[in-house]
Amino acid sequence: MSKDFPLNSLGFAKPPSETRVVVAMSGGVDSSVVAAQLAEEGYDVVGVTLQLYDHGAALAKKGACCAGQDIHDARRVAEEMGFPHYVLDYENVFQEAVIDEFADAYLGGATPVPCIRCNERVKFKDLLETAKDLEADCMATGHYIQRKMGENGPELHSAADPNRDQSYFLFSTTPEQLAYLRFPLGHLPSKDATRALAAKYGLAVADKPDSQDICFVPNGNYAAVIEKLRPGAADPGEIVDLEGNVLGEHKGVIHYTIGQRRGLGIGGLGDPLYVVKLDPDTRRVVVGPKEALATRTIPVREINWLGDAPLTSRPEWHLTVKVRSTRPPRPAILRPISETEAEVELLTPEEGVSPGQACVFYDPDSSRIFGGGWIWKGR
């Protein structure tokens, strides 16, 4: 196709009908709208849904993605819009790459974010390779994030709607992946706009509720899932204060997270106490006053850097960072140790910073994401 042909909406110099796009379809309204919109625009759409776990198993729940009803919903959208749809069995990959690490991280006293690992190790790795095997020009998803062309190639930017922005969960997207990926919903002003498009296309999923929590964790009960995956993991132990004084007993470190206040079972001891450290080796839950949760220095590793200049090209970077998905970016100084490790200094201490969470880097002067890494050890 001539390079003089105007770029289509996916950035290719050829007609939509000659542009094949694989759409990762979870069965929810977001990815369904992406598939329907691209099909209506005339693209050669191929829908692919991953079955990530046995939808009849105890781990699955109603309202989760990538199982039973959701596979049916994705197939129905494909039938309505007239494009092919495939279901790929990724149960073993998901178990090994996501669920097992989730269990082991919790047992190690961390607070993991399996949705990031799923994007990194399954959706943007194996599924992306499948899209290339299908000779697709690109792969599109229903994530709320933006891909913009910069002077040095594609850049990752926050979604237009800050309430829907999923940049925290996509920081590990590599430049090579970003070149191949498309995010058609990132520019929309709200989720209402997405649902309006679903209604416009007559999709049965237009009013389908958003999935909640982690897909393989019923009702947000992490401990129950860990006990199922790792029998005997919930060994009891001591609850101690910062000086090591025993204040009570707990039913297993896996039942606690950094910053937790309720449900400690040690009331009546004066000022409120919070979980400030989990020590799985000694099976101890360490508690202390709220100020003991404040963290200023965060060690970060497994960094995926998306800046134009190499991470180590400067002794420090003045950025904003997110240490939890629900918190706004805060001013920080990033000091590289190597291409994949750094120390992050928060200009204002944050409470409840936990190993296993992500630390995501943002440009303070724009919507651009500079990547991120994993918080990896205690304070």
Side-chain angles (χ1 to χ4, degrees):
M1 178 59 60
S2 167
K3 292 200 174 180
D4 294 332
F5 198 91
L7 294 180
N8 60 35
S9 63
L10 294 178
F12 297 98
K14 54 185 177 180
S17 61
E18 296 177 21
T19 306
R20 176 169 292 175
V21 51
V22 163
V23 179
M25 300 183 69
S26 68
V29 63
D30 299 325
S31 57
S32 296
V33 164
V34 168
Q37 184 172 29
L38 293 174
E40 189 184 66
E41 290 177 15
Y43 286 97
D44 178 9
V45 173
V46 179
V48 176
T49 300
L50 303 182
Q51 180 171 315
L52 298 181
Y53 51 86
D54 180 359
H55 53 265
L59 289 183
K61 71 176 193 292
K62 188 176 181 181
C65 71
C66 310
Q69 182 63 40
D70 299 291
I71 292 173
H72 171 77
D73 289 343
R75 183 180 292 122
R76 184 174 173 185
V77 169
E79 289 173 354
E80 289 172 353
M81 299 302 297
F83 58 82
H85 175 257
Y86 301 98
V87 179
L88 305 181
D89 182 352
Y90 271 56
E91 284 187 40
N92 290 338
V93 173
F94 188 67
Q95 179 77 38
E96 294 168 8
V98 179
I99 296 180
D100 285 344
E101 184 188 73
F102 169 83
D104 293 337
Y106 247 96
L107 292 180
T111 308
V113 192
C115 299
I116 298 175
R117 290 300 195 194
C118 182
N119 289 326
E120 174 188 316
R121 297 176 174 176
V122 182
K123 293 177 182 173
F124 289 178
K125 182 174 176 283
D126 293 344
L127 178 55
L128 193 144
E129 289 303 316
T130 297
K132 290 181 177 178
D133 289 342
L134 291 170
E135 299 182 344
D137 293 284
C138 62
M139 185 172 93
T141 80
H143 288 107
Y144 287 89
I145 196 165
Q146 297 188 82
R147 174 189 183 275
K148 298 183 178 182
M149 291 304 295
E151 291 182 8
N152 296 292
E155 301 171 352
L156 203 59
H157 286 255
S158 299
D161 178 5
N163 295 317
R164 304 299 304 182
D165 177 59
Q166 292 177 291
S167 58
Y168 184 84
F169 300 100
L170 296 167
F171 81 84
S172 62
T173 306
T174 66
E176 294 77 21
Q177 292 167 345
L178 191 56
Y180 193 70
L181 289 163
R182 300 293 187 273
F183 308 106
L185 302 185
H187 69 287
L188 294 180
S190 69
K191 181 63 178 258
D192 289 342
T194 306
R195 292 196 183 279
L197 285 172
K200 170 188 168 185
Y201 300 130
L203 303 182
V205 296
D207 297 318
K208 186 174 180 177
D210 290 341
S211 58
Q212 301 293 326
D213 297 316
I214 297 168
C215 65
F216 58 89
V217 179
N219 308 314
N221 190 346
Y222 302 128
V225 172
I226 304 301
E227 288 186 76
K228 182 178 177 66
L229 294 168
R230 300 288 186 271
D235 292 331
E238 297 172 337
I239 299 176
V240 301
D241 64 16
L242 294 172
E243 283 73 46
N245 300 310
V246 179
L247 305 180
E249 281 203 351
H250 64 77
K251 297 178 181 178
V253 172
I254 62 171
H255 293 280
Y256 301 87
T257 56
I258 303 294
Q260 181 177 334
R261 175 186 170 189
R262 300 183 183 279
L264 301 181
I266 52 171
L269 296 175
D271 293 335
L273 294 172
Y274 299 79
V275 175
V276 298
K277 185 179 179 183
L278 300 171
D279 190 339
D281 294 333
T282 62
R283 298 204 306 275
R284 280 186 157 188
V285 173
V286 182
V287 298
K290 191 172 186 181
E291 54 267 24
L293 282 170
T295 300
R296 183 180 288 275
T297 303
I298 305 172
V300 180
R301 65 182 179 184
E302 291 185 62
I303 290 174
N304 179 57
W305 179 249
L306 295 175
D308 295 330
L311 176 62
T312 53
S313 63
R314 298 186 197 173
E316 58 183 42
W317 297 79
H318 290 257
L319 306 169
T320 58
V321 303
K322 266 191 185 188
V323 293
R324 286 196 182 236
S325 62
T326 54
R327 296 182 184 176
R330 303 283 175 83
I333 300 172
L334 173 68
R335 296 189 176 92
I337 296 170
S338 71
E339 293 292 351
T340 58
E341 286 193 57
E343 186 176 85
V344 174
E345 179 188 349
L346 302 173
L347 300 193
T348 303
E350 286 258 12
E351 294 174 352
V353 175
S354 174
Q357 295 280 307
C359 180
V360 181
F361 315 143
Y362 297 83
D363 181 357
D365 301 317
S366 76
S367 59
R368 188 173 178 185
I369 296 132
F370 282 135
W374 295 94
I375 302 167
W376 68 277
K377 67 182 179 183
R379 301 152 344 99

